[in-house]
Amino acid sequence: MTSPSPSPILKTSHLLGIEGLSAPEVTGLLDLGESYVAQSRAANKKAALLKGRTLINLFFEASTRTQSSFELAGKRLGADVLNMSVKTSSVSKGETLIDTASTLNAMRPDILVVRHQDSGAAELLSRKLDCSVINAGDGAHEHPTQALLDALTIRRRTGRIEGLTVAICGDILHSRVARSNIRLLAMLGARVRLIAPRTLLPCEAERFGVDIFTDMKQGLAGVDIVMMLRLQLERMSGAFVPSTREYFRFYGLDREKLSCAKSGALVMHPGPMNRGVEIASDIADDLDVSLISEQVEMGVAIRMAVLDALARGLS
Amino acid sequence: MTVPNGKSGRLAFRNARLIDPASGFDIKGGLLVENGRIADIGPRLFNDAEPRDPEIIDCRGLVLAPGLIDCRVFTGEPGSEHRETLASASDAAAAGGVTTIVTMPNTNPVIDEPSLVDFIRRRAQATAKVNVAPMAALTQRLAGETMTEIGLLQEAGAVAFTDGDRTVANARVMRRALSYAATFDALVAGHAEDPELVQGAASTESEFATRLGLPAAPALAEAIIVERDIRLVELTGARYHFGQISTRAALDAIAAAKAKGLPITCGVSAHHLLLNELDVGAYYTFRKVKPPLRAETDRAAMVEGVANGTIDVIVSSHEPQGADTKRQTFASAAFGAVGLETLLPAALNLHHNGDADLMRILASLTIAPAKLLGLPGGRLAKGAPADLALIDIDEPFVVDERALHSRARNTAFEGRKFQGRAQMTFVGGECVFSRVD
């Protein structure tokens, strides 16, 4: 348990993206997240910080790990958690997002966690609702808690983020994880590289202050951290890459490509993984290099930190 | 002159007029071949002493040039071996002074799989007497919908990516394919005819086509795609080659794109350099080619494009067709004409007419395609493969379809009087064709 710090960690009442956060805010969240790791590992995981508060998980896109991670985080802090998924909500009956917002608002939640397939959905809801809104992924825009948990995972392993070289590899075009990570890592002083075929690189990506590579071995040379992204298989027919076997051959992380990175380089993946598409199984399962399970654990801790930080601002 | 058997590993050419468009030299001299490669070359080679080689070829002043590289060859293997095999196409190539044929993927099955590129290379190795460099499909099954495995196909040995004589109609698919190809620095070779606009057409819209009552499409069907693809190249940075163009509008657009520094090149077929729409005459199906023959002004523009270098390569667009596909009415006959054996004579026609200089013409048949596709031949240089054509540039002859080596006889130049053709052809130092007994 952390005692409330004298000054609030977050200056805003929402967490919509890494964009708009300052380095002290991010560091504050990471420090707070660190303290929740211990609580999550303790036999009694429960705290009363959010007792009496209502947290709604509103997921328009299917998600197992993010949704359950927020649910656990909320419950461990003592909140009442309500999960709403699109299948059971009236959105599937044609209600607009703003109508949904007003309906939810009338239920007086304290915190709304939202995932939506369209960029800007969390921001829209934050303007229509009286509660705090946490963006759990909007379109190809941002997924701030993923970037925070990645940063916490890295920091715990390497002791720092500043000065590291991090390669983000794969489907960057469609990835909100990549966009949030680029912003956060750059903010904390890491050098970021993007590695992808040109079809999966967003337009003007170099303007983000990153180095771009289309050859994975060149891109991995000397990196400390390799962040793999999920190839969104549902987009394969959209002809961004010709086949999964070709993708794996040139952009899948295997031992040979990983050997180009700095020795001792660590591998991350936001999940869910496509084994044999973007990552070889033996790497994913190698506990010496893979941080994948640790990321999941840090996910709960960092979300507790975010809920905590936002709760301090609740009236 | 005697025919060497080429087995000794050493071969000396004396008294040759050596023309190498790569370096621009045109000199009298000799050339020595060792173990399939050019070992030495120069004006004074063999002057001091007779070469002590078992095989000496006295060129008697004929031109010794790099063997031709034909960037656009359709064969029937696999799938239509009755029209042409890699072996029969290579016979025709050798007879035409062509030492490398670049094959199109428009076969059955389509060459859109790494294992099929491998098949072509193995078959060529086993049966063809000239080099075969396969292009692979740009989209799966040439359907214009999903790009092929450009990376794996390139590793298997595909030299470029093309849907052959098909245009990728969908600009989104083309954009992605170009963008993806740029990832691998792969060359894309496009065909420029708006497929919807030319649907059902057998000729170019004109007074002549109207008089003949032929289904026709406007010539600008070409420029529409050329201009679209130039824009897409600007967006994606892909290396792009227009397999063949046929109109002034396309030429002007490409000249402007090149002036901007875009990585764009283009080719023209011998047919579009020598023939115009009127040559269709009385529904002569052997002159039904794709794209169709154009107006005289367009033909003249093609010649100008070769002369000033806007057009990079001259190709045969060799496309074998049989009686089944050509002995038809003009509208129902298949497109295409064979051309491997008439490529050099047709190109030399520009030289004899004073339309373009010899060096420039030979460059467009040798070093230009070699550079475009990253092939080792196309030059007379120490260490280069001894792929050579011994050419009598003045010898007159009449094209006779019965004398063709190709399995198909659908030449568009039957009965045409030409001047200049290959006398002997060497691939890797081995004589693969000789007109001398």
Side-chain angles (χ1 to χ4, degrees):
Chain A
M1 274 298 295
T2 313
S3 55
S5 50
S7 63
I9 290 171
L10 285 175
K11 295 200 180 69
T12 60
S13 52
H14 307 292
L15 179 64
L16 300 178
I18 299 300
E19 176 95 70
L21 291 184
S22 63
E25 285 175 301
V26 168
T27 311
L29 286 172
L30 296 181
D31 293 344
L32 192 53
E34 189 83 51
S35 72
Y36 280 117
V37 176
Q39 186 187 324
S40 287
R41 287 180 180 178
N44 179 8
K45 298 174 171 60
K46 199 103 173 171
L49 191 71
L50 293 186
K51 194 165 166 41
R53 300 287 189 186
T54 306
L55 172 96
I56 297 181
N57 265 334
L58 178 62
F59 277 63
F60 292 88
E61 266 185 354
S63 157
T64 311
R65 77 181 65 201
T66 307
Q67 185 172 330
S68 48
S69 182
F70 270 110
E71 184 176 352
L72 272 179
K75 285 180 171 165
R76 283 180 187 171
L77 291 178
D80 296 317
V81 180
L82 174 69
N83 286 319
M84 292 181 66
S85 74
V86 70
K87 292 251 162 55
T88 54
S89 82
S90 48
V91 175
S92 57
K93 299 171 190 159
E95 191 178 71
T96 69
L97 186 57
I98 290 174
D99 289 341
T100 306
S102 342
T103 307
L104 290 173
N105 205 38
M107 297 178 191
R108 304 269 166 215
D110 299 288
I111 297 176
L112 178 77
V113 175
V114 62
R115 164 167 295 187
H116 197 279
Q117 61 277 9
D118 291 340
S119 304
E123 199 272 344
L124 177 63
L125 287 173
S126 75
R127 281 191 277 121
K128 300 292 172 188
L129 269 72
D130 298 322
C131 66
S132 287
V133 173
I134 299 174
N135 182 5
D138 63 326
H141 176 226
E142 283 240 37
H143 190 354
T145 55
Q146 179 71 44
L148 287 164
L149 77 87
D150 287 341
L152 181 57
T153 310
I154 296 171
R155 209 179 68 167
R156 280 174 59 89
R157 251 324 161 94
T158 64
R160 69 197 166 107
I161 286 175
E162 190 172 3
L164 295 179
T165 302
V166 181
I168 304 177
C169 315
D171 186 357
I172 292 153
L173 180 66
H174 301 108
S175 177
R176 51 194 171 220
V177 175
R179 283 169 179 76
S180 288
N181 263 313
I182 290 167
R183 291 181 173 116
L184 190 151
L185 292 166
M187 185 193 296
L188 296 188
R191 183 112 203 114
V192 180
R193 298 181 183 178
L194 305 182
I195 305 174
R198 284 175 197 267
T199 42
L200 294 177
L201 281 168
C203 168
E204 303 281 345
E206 56 278 2
R207 308 274 273 191
F208 282 74
V210 294
D211 295 316
I212 292 180
F213 294 84
T214 55
D215 182 303
M216 192 162 181
K217 288 183 182 173
Q218 286 175 18
L220 288 181
V223 308
D224 300 283
I225 305 284
V226 186
M227 268 187 190
M228 299 307 299
L229 297 174
R230 198 173 99 79
L231 184 68
Q232 313 211 2
L233 287 172
E234 58 275 17
R235 309 199 199 261
M236 292 295 295
S237 59
F240 290 93
V241 290
S243 69
T244 50
R245 71 171 177 183
E246 168 139 325
Y247 188 79
F248 185 70
R249 168 71 185 75
F250 295 98
Y251 296 99
L253 187 66
D254 54 15
R255 291 282 171 196
E256 191 196 342
K257 298 192 193 88
L258 184 59
S259 70
C260 299
K262 194 176 280 182
S263 108
L266 299 166
V267 174
M268 305 174 77
H269 193 299
M273 286 182 278
N274 299 301
R275 290 169 186 263
V277 177
E278 70 258 355
I279 189 162
S281 267
D282 63 325
I283 290 180
D285 298 336
D286 183 344
L287 295 177
D288 291 332
V289 297
S290 166
L291 298 178
I292 296 170
S293 328
E294 215 166 314
Q295 286 174 272
V296 178
E297 186 185 358
M298 293 310 124
V300 178
I302 207 72
R303 283 164 186 133
M304 290 169 83
V306 169
L307 293 176
D308 177 347
L310 288 176
R312 295 177 196 204
L314 293 176
S315 47
Chain B
M1 253 188 300
T2 52
V3 183
N5 62 34
K7 300 292 180 205
S8 76
R10 269 168 84 85
L11 192 57
F13 294 86
R14 303 183 56 210
N15 299 325
R17 177 181 170 191
L18 299 162
I19 300 187
D20 178 41
S23 54
F25 71 64
D26 180 349
I27 49 165
K28 300 235 176 300
L31 183 145
L32 179 68
V33 173
E34 267 176 8
N35 302 320
R37 299 195 167 269
I38 297 170
D40 207 353
I41 181 169
R44 278 172 297 281
L45 196 62
F46 315 131
N47 271 12
D48 304 334
E50 277 294 299
R52 288 180 295 104
D53 295 286
E55 297 188 52
I56 299 165
I57 295 172
D58 185 344
C59 301
R60 294 187 292 197
L62 296 184
V63 168
L64 186 63
L68 275 50
I69 298 170
D70 187 343
C71 285
R72 193 172 168 86
V73 175
F74 296 85
T75 78
E77 187 168 355
S80 299
E81 287 82 354
H82 62 289
R83 283 182 205 146
E84 192 89 287
T85 59
L86 290 166
S88 66
S90 80
D91 286 344
V98 175
T99 53
T100 299
I101 59 175
V102 178
T103 53
M104 296 292 111
N106 309 53
T107 48
N108 184 15
V110 168
I111 309 304
D112 60 2
E113 261 279 313
S115 59
L116 291 167
V117 172
D118 193 55
F119 166 80
I120 296 286
R121 292 181 37 151
R122 282 166 194 267
R123 283 293 290 170
Q125 199 105 53
T127 67
K129 54 172 69 160
V130 303
N131 306 309
V132 174
M135 284 196 193
L138 180 64
T139 68
Q140 292 172 22
R141 302 180 319 284
L142 308 176
E145 290 161 4
T146 309
M147 68 175 101
T148 52
E149 297 167 308
I150 289 172
L152 295 173
L153 289 161
Q154 196 176 48
E155 284 191 338
V159 294
F161 299 85
T162 183
D163 279 0
D165 61 359
R166 293 206 200 177
T167 299
V168 175
N170 185 322
R172 177 170 46 85
V173 172
M174 194 61 175
R175 182 253 173 118
R176 296 247 170 81
L178 287 174
S179 184
Y180 194 72
T183 305
F184 296 92
D185 195 30
L187 179 71
V188 171
H191 179 75
E193 274 190 294
D194 184 302
E196 293 296 325
L197 206 46
V198 303
Q199 178 146 49
S203 57
T204 306
E205 257 179 32
S206 69
E207 180 194 336
F208 179 73
T210 300
R211 284 179 192 282
L212 259 56
L214 288 175
L220 58 79
E222 179 171 277
I224 286 175
I225 298 298
V226 166
E227 286 173 358
R228 180 197 75 173
D229 286 356
I230 287 171
R231 298 281 177 183
L232 292 175
V233 167
E234 208 167 359
L235 179 69
T236 59
R239 291 198 295 128
Y240 191 106
H241 175 70
F242 290 100
Q244 54 170 3
I245 59 164
S246 60
T247 61
R248 175 170 290 284
L251 184 73
D252 289 347
I254 290 167
K258 286 183 161 193
K260 270 192 192 171
L262 295 177
I264 286 174
T265 52
C266 68
V268 65
S269 83
H271 303 123
H272 293 95
L273 283 173
L274 267 65
L275 303 171
N276 67 30
E277 54 176 352
L278 302 180
D279 289 305
V280 165
Y283 305 100
Y284 186 30
T285 61
F286 281 17
R287 290 186 181 153
K288 181 178 178 182
V289 292
K290 196 172 162 125
L293 296 173
R294 304 299 195 188
E296 175 57 17
T297 50
D298 283 325
R299 186 200 67 82
M302 293 304 99
V303 173
E304 188 187 306
V306 169
N308 68 24
T310 304
I311 294 176
D312 303 89
V313 300
I314 303 176
V315 299
S316 68
S317 272
H318 182 86
E319 184 151 8
Q321 296 290 352
D324 53 328
T325 49
K326 279 295 191 183
R327 306 279 177 210
Q328 300 267 4
T329 60
F330 197 85
S332 21
F335 289 97
V338 293
L340 276 164
E341 289 165 80
T342 47
L343 174 61
L344 177 60
L348 287 174
N349 193 265
L350 269 58
H351 161 67
H352 292 299
N353 287 347
D355 289 329
D357 69 60
L358 184 60
M359 190 67 79
R360 169 75 206 117
I361 292 165
L362 289 177
S364 69
L365 293 164
T366 56
I367 187 63
K371 278 189 177 162
L372 185 62
L373 299 165
L375 300 173
R379 66 208 89 194
L380 297 186
K382 280 187 200 176
D387 297 345
L388 305 165
L390 186 63
I391 304 164
D392 182 338
I393 59 169
D394 295 315
E395 186 198 17
F397 73 100
V398 177
V399 176
D400 177 0
E401 65 161 64
R402 289 163 304 177
L404 294 177
H405 294 71
S406 175
R407 191 166 281 186
R409 311 276 153 148
N410 54 313
T411 173
F413 295 122
E414 174 65 9
R416 177 130 185 171
K417 298 184 180 88
F418 277 129
Q419 230 185 312
R421 60 180 172 179
Q423 297 302 310
M424 297 174 96
T425 307
F426 299 83
V427 174
E430 216 172 301
C431 181
V432 292
F433 172 78
S434 175
R435 227 168 267 291
V436 190
D437 296 320

